[in-house]
Every structure is written in structure tokens, then in C-alpha cells.
Amino acid sequence: MDVLSDAITTMRTGRPHSSRRDAYAPWGMRFESSDGAGFHVVLQGSAWLLPAEGEPVALGPGDVVFLAHGHGHALASGVDVPLEDVRLRPDGTWPEPPPPRPSTDPSTVLLCGAYQLDRARAHPLLSELPEVVHLPARVGAHRSLRAAVELLGIELEERRPGSDTIVTSLLDTLLLYILRAWWQRERHGSGHPTGWSAALADPAVAAALRAVHGAPSHPWTVEELGALGGLSRAAFARRFTALVGEPPLTYLTWWRMTTAGRLLRAGDIPLRQVAQRTGYASEFAFAKAFKREYGVAPGQYRRHAS
């Protein structure tokens, strides 16, 4: 099973949204904090990203920035221009951009988007991302990401039948391409990747993670997981703990409970089936483990989530 896709699917709530924005210098937009994650792409012209903390980031045509932690930030034509607040709608989406000025070409064209995330069960794979992921445009780099950006820009510019579904799918694809490009750069940029970048690059640990995500109901043992990568029980446990940040069976339990929460939120699957899908022999054993993890019984959690 694809660990990155699983991590995103589990955290995602609601529908992603995006808009194409024309900006006329001087301009400045302030985005408030949110529970989600956002991205900006400069399609034309230039801009400055002004994060809540840290130095301003100069952006040029084709640059992509991803803000994984939902902190407030701003985009502007300069570092000292006045900022106008962009407030989210009650449903979590951004307001429609203002209409273009007649007979005036915009100084900057932006592609902005956001994803709603459940941070109560934030996967460490996303939690360890920096405040700002900046992917500068370079010839020949991240071609899949560039293709997704171009397609998304076209759909937002020329709304046609089917655009709603296409835009949602492209936003999901774009998020995965952004994260893939970041981890690829981390893996090859310094020669010493750390954290989840290193975990996904390590054959033995990656094999164990794929197995856990692919079959969380299986009664995995440390020895069995280590054998998937050709390591002894002790050697595998040390390597997994060092890279992932917790022992193999601790992560297995966390992932089972995270999967259980997603299943309970998703519909009316009987608790017996949720227990079976997450590796518990009985509803009682599952309910006990779930309450220990979430602080409430599974039925109460489902009612609250709905």
C-alpha cells in the first residue's frame, strides 16, 4: 500500500478548493490561519510570500509554495505594501476573486488552493514538513508537478462541464506531486536524509510500512516485519524506531486506530467489521483499545463526527 497516499487520505476532510487570481500592483493579500494546508503558484509575474515567522520568500514564474501547517501568511507585490484580508467563507472555502480590470493586464497571476485536514490525527509524515515548502521553477525539474499545475490553471480559467470533478481530482493529484517533489529533493539534496524522508527511502523500513498500511488487520510481529526487509528482529526494530520515531508495534497500533477513526467517520459500517478491518478479534477488544486512544467509545465518536 502507498504510505504517502494513505497519510493524505486519512487526514483529508471535505473538498479541496482553488481559484485563479489576477493581481494588479501594488497588491497584498493576508490569509488567516486555518486547520488546513494551502498552496500558491505564480503563473505570471512575481510575488513575495510573507510567512508568519521567518524571512520573506521571493517567488517567480512557475514557483510553487506549500504551507502544510495552516499558519497565517501573506502574498504581496512587495514586502512593505498594505495587506488586504482574505477571509474564508463559513464552509472553509475562499471567496471568489474580484473580476479582472478592463483593458489592464495583471502584474501577477496566481493559482491559490487549500485542503481541509483533520489535525487531531496528523500523520508524522506531514507533521515534520517545514513551515514553507518552496519548489522553485527549474527547467526539467518536477515535470509531473508542472503538468498538474498547467491543467489546473486551464480548468480554472475555462470552466466547462465536468470542471468541478476535474478540479477536485487535480487538486488531490497536485498535493501528492508537491509532497513527492519535496521528499525527492530532501532525499537527494543532502546525501543524509532524515525522518520520514529517510524512512521511505530505506528498503527494509519502507517494506514494513507498506505491509502495515496494506493489511492493518494482520497480526504482525516485529520478527515478521523485519523479515520483509531481510533483517533480524533486533536490527529491524532499531532501524525502524530510529527513522520513524517509535517502535514498529506502536506505529501499527496508531495506524490501526487512525484507520478505525476514518472508517467510523465515513459511514455506518458495523463496529464488528471495523474491529475486523483493524486487527481486533472482538468488538469488546476493539472498543477498549479505541477508547484508550480517543478517550470516547466508538459509537460516541461516530455520532460526534457525523
Side-chain angles (χ1 to χ4, degrees), residues 115-136:
Y115 305 90
Q116 299 177 48
L117 303 177
D118 177 12
R119 297 201 179 275
R121 301 294 295 183
H123 196 284
L125 189 148
L126 291 180
S127 299
E128 72 171 19
L129 287 172
E131 175 70 17
V132 176
V133 172
H134 179 204
L135 299 170

Side-chain angles (χ1 to χ4, degrees), residues 8 46 55 62 95 103 141-142 144 148 160 197 201 207 211 220-221 236 282 288 291:
I8 298 300
S46 61
E55 296 297 317
S103 69
H142 315 311
S144 298
R160 290 171 291 182
S197 177
W220 295 107
T221 64
F236 167 74
S282 68
K288 185 177 180 180
K291 188 171 184 178

Side-chain angles (χ1 to χ4, degrees), residues 43 46 48 77 113 128 141 149 164 171 190 238 252 254 290 293:
L43 298 178
S46 61
W48 285 89
S77 56
E128 72 171 19
V149 166
D164 286 348
L171 286 170
S190 67
R238 286 194 299 270
L252 171 62
W254 183 86
F290 190 91
E293 182 78 11

